[in-house]
Amino acid sequence: CPFPTRHPLWQGVLPPSIAGVSEHLAGHDLVLVLGAPVFRYHAYRPGPWLPAGTELVAVGADPGAAARAAFGDAVVADVAAVVGQLLDALPADPSRAGVPSRERPAASVPEAAPFPADAVFAQMARVLPPDVRLVNESTSNTTQFWEHLDLNRPRSLFFPAAGGLGFGPPSAVGVALADPHRPVVAVLGDGALQYGVAGLWTATQLGLPVTFVVLRNGGYGALRSFVTQLGVADAPGLDLPGIDAVQIAAGYGLPGERITSSEQLASALACISSLRGPRLLEVPITAETRPLG
């Protein structure tokens, strides 16, 4: 859990491009990075590292991460100790007292599929049990995923640092192996599933409590976003018609269900705590292409 995602100070995650980060931090004179890299990029949007007049100080326990920072000042130290010293030195801010938790964006679920990704994540936030652990590799829907996420416990979210393909299915298996007493929900794109599909077989053979939620939009949405940013239109090979995740799961001995209605979606998500083995839910969603950077 990087930070409680409904906390009043939670502002989401930084975009994965140089220009995107710089634009996001515009208007601030000091950036303090605590225990995190400076910064991870994988979408090509060049620009200044920081807005004009902005300084950056990074505090971390990893000398390698400090050495890799391309700009700013780095302090290698115990992060918790530094945070404690900062809190002691800074005056209390009474304007923060009683600030309400951050609200989720409104998202209604249509009666029938395909659903907007927004609606699927909103339903997850409403009905998933509080002890669920999430693995996310639905890259083209990452923005919507973060907007609805409700996390305040450690070891509750696992995702690739910079878009590594095939992370989702095997990671979900590993997370369930590490602690089979907490249910795991792996949110996967229909393209992402193909890179680590053998994880379905392992989950079945070991009877792991993993629900694979495959968001089927019929294409590589993340790659479409990349090529769009590069000015390429109608790139070939980005459509994925005819891939049936339920039938693929059946081939590995894994029970699968295709979601066609909002009622079925709510019911399938709400019973996750009572499951003792794996299953796959294929959820048709509308194709959306949002800039990644």
Side-chain angles (χ1 to χ4, degrees):
C1 180
F3 194 84
T5 54
R6 301 267 68 86
H7 191 282
L9 298 182
W10 167 253
Q11 296 296 314
V13 296
L14 290 173
S17 69
I18 293 173
V21 169
S22 182
E23 292 163 1
H24 200 80
L25 299 176
H28 300 281
D29 55 10
L30 176 65
V31 177
L32 176 63
V33 180
L34 297 170
V38 183
F39 289 107
R40 288 192 172 112
Y41 309 111
H42 67 265
Y44 182 70
R45 282 190 64 217
W49 297 109
L50 289 171
T54 301
E55 297 181 49
L56 181 143
V57 177
V59 179
D62 181 356
R68 284 192 297 271
F71 54 95
D73 295 320
V75 178
V76 178
D78 180 89
V79 177
V82 171
V83 171
Q85 293 167 9
L86 287 172
L87 289 174
D88 289 340
L90 292 171
D93 185 355
S95 67
R96 294 292 182 191
V99 177
S101 297
R102 190 166 180 256
E103 294 294 325
R104 298 188 189 95
S108 58
V109 185
E111 287 298 319
F115 309 105
D118 238 6
V120 177
F121 297 139
Q123 189 69 280
M124 284 185 175
R126 282 191 285 267
V127 304
L128 286 180
D131 64 337
V132 73
R133 288 170 301 170
L134 294 163
V135 175
N136 182 32
E137 194 187 355
S138 183
T139 311
S140 61
N141 307 300
T142 297
T143 301
Q144 300 96 311
F145 180 83
W146 280 107
E147 286 172 349
H148 292 278
L149 205 60
D150 188 357
L151 288 179
N152 57 17
R153 296 179 59 177
R155 299 183 179 92
S156 292
L157 173 65
F158 301 84
F159 63 100
L165 295 170
F167 170 92
S171 295
V173 167
V175 169
L177 281 171
D179 181 5
H181 302 293
R182 287 178 65 184
V184 178
V185 173
V187 181
L188 310 170
D190 45 358
L193 173 66
Q194 313 310 317
Y195 287 99
V197 69
L200 302 183
W201 182 87
T202 307
T204 303
Q205 296 300 308
L206 299 178
L208 300 174
V210 181
T211 297
F212 299 93
V213 179
V214 179
L215 304 181
R216 182 177 179 177
N217 62 8
Y220 280 117
L223 294 182
R224 201 180 301 280
S225 295
F226 276 122
V227 298
T228 300
Q229 287 179 203
L230 295 173
V232 178
D234 301 321
L238 301 184
D239 295 321
L240 298 173
I243 293 182
D244 188 326
V246 175
Q247 291 297 315
I248 292 172
Y252 286 101
L254 180 71
E257 180 181 358
R258 183 170 295 106
I259 303 298
T260 59
S261 70
S262 58
E263 183 179 355
Q264 184 187 9
L265 176 64
S267 175
L269 293 173
C271 69
I272 279 173
S273 287
S274 62
L275 296 174
R276 293 295 175 263
R279 63 171 177 164
L280 181 143
L281 304 176
E282 183 186 78
V283 184
I285 64 169
T286 53
E288 302 176 49
T289 301
R290 294 193 182 187
L292 294 176

